[in-house]
Each structure stands twice: as C-alpha cells, then as structure tokens.
Amino acid sequence: MKRSFICSVFFISLMAAGIPASPMRLAQPLADRVFSDHIRTVRLYREGWALSNPVIQLNSDQRLILTFDDLGGDVKDYYYTFFHCDRNWNISSLPREEYFDSFLEFPIIDYEYSVNTKVGYINYYLQLPNDDVRFVLSGNYALVVFDRDDPEEPLLIRRFYVTETVADIQA
C-alpha cells in the first residue's frame, strides 16, 4: 500500500512538471540519426570550429553548437534532453540526476526563418553548456531532440563526448 502510494505520487509529480512518465522510445545502441523527413542539415560541433568533432572538456569554457533546419514551415516547440552512455553507446545505468545539475528537458528557443530561399525553412540553434545545462560527469552523451507534442518519439539524436583531464603528461 505504502509503495504504491509513493509510486503514484512520483508519477503525478512528473506529469505536473511536464516530464513524460513513460520512457522515450530509443533503439540501443544510440547512433547519430534523424527520424523525420523535414529535418535537414543537422550539425553538432565545438564552437569556433565548424569541422570539429563534438568534444568538449569538463568544467571548461568550451561550447558545443547544434544547428538543424526544419522544412516544415511552422515554428515547433522542440525540446532537448541528454542521456549518459556507456562505451558501446547504450544508455548507462546511472540515474539522470547524477550527471545533470538541473532539470531533464529544455526548450530550444533560438531559431531564425530563412530569407530569400526557394524552400522556406526554420534554422534552430542550441549552445551547450548553457544557463540551463551544466555537465557534472565526463563520458559519452547522446543529445536527443523531440517535439513537445510527442515527447516519446525522438526527432534526432547526436552523440558527443565530455572529456576530463585526469593526469598531466610532460615531456
């Protein structure tokens, strides 16, 4: 009786906070993937170097930039979240609260409409870490973007790395 009451309170509080109680449908191992035909030109790179791999150092001023184009025509309520992954890119068994220092889902609020193009699109922009997100553990991560209206279906997945200097090597 007591356990069922605690579980009920937990799921009600998740729904009130806007966090879906059911897990997102993600095939593992996680891979860079786009799940929608109207999402194009997805790029994740280190700020200042558009051709770089998505790698940043823990507790540094380095940032990752995610950009993608939505050919759908209307502004959508896109949100993003992260999953810490093991070396094989399966979601790790760590509770999400251990590698996040804040909430679990965040809106993507920076976007621009295309100008003078034959096909209209909206370019979405996200910088990480930001005021909402700060990484507290190094490791493999998967960034998942989803539509707020359908939080169980991912829109896109991009993998990235947060590294940590453990030892200095001097020549």
Side-chain angles (χ1 to χ4, degrees):
M1 170 71 181
K2 186 176 182 179
R3 186 175 188 192
S4 113
F5 175 75
I6 291 172
C7 288
S8 298
V9 169
F10 176 73
F11 285 116
I12 290 171
S13 64
L14 283 177
M15 290 187 295
I19 299 169
S22 59
M24 191 175 287
R25 292 178 228 166
L26 297 171
Q28 294 192 52
L30 299 178
D32 288 347
R33 186 163 174 208
V34 177
F35 296 90
S36 177
D37 293 336
H38 61 88
I39 300 298
R40 303 285 171 89
T41 324
V42 180
R43 296 175 46 212
L44 180 63
Y45 57 92
R46 193 168 68 214
E47 183 180 44
W49 189 15
L51 299 177
S52 69
N53 289 322
V55 179
I56 58 171
Q57 181 106 16
L58 186 66
N59 298 324
S60 72
D61 61 351
Q62 296 173 341
R63 305 272 185 257
L64 290 175
I65 305 296
L66 171 74
T67 63
F68 63 93
D69 297 331
D70 182 351
L71 304 178
D74 296 326
V75 174
K76 306 278 190 336
D77 287 331
Y78 290 140
Y79 277 67
Y80 64 97
T81 191
F82 301 95
F83 293 97
H84 188 269
C85 297
D86 64 16
R87 64 188 174 112
N88 296 320
W89 292 99
N90 294 309
I91 296 174
S92 71
S93 60
L94 288 174
R96 292 176 80 190
E97 294 78 21
E98 286 192 28
Y99 55 89
F100 265 148
D101 193 25
S102 57
F103 295 109
L104 301 175
E105 299 174 351
F106 314 93
I108 299 177
I109 56 174
D110 292 330
Y111 59 87
E112 288 184 347
Y113 289 94
S114 62
V115 178
N116 296 329
T117 58
K118 289 186 178 185
V119 176
Y121 64 89
I122 299 169
N123 178 262
Y124 289 86
Y125 175 89
L126 176 63
Q127 181 179 354
L128 301 168
N130 54 38
D131 293 338
D132 297 327
V133 175
R134 187 177 69 83
F135 300 104
V136 294
L137 284 179
S138 59
N140 299 341
Y141 285 87
L143 168 64
V144 180
V145 176
F146 60 94
D147 192 328
R148 180 70 171 168
D149 296 334
D150 194 5
E152 293 181 6
E153 293 295 327
L155 191 66
L156 66 92
I157 298 173
R158 281 296 180 261
R159 303 184 312 186
F160 66 95
Y161 310 90
V162 177
T163 62
E164 181 176 11
T165 303
V166 180
D168 288 330
I169 299 175
Q170 297 179 2

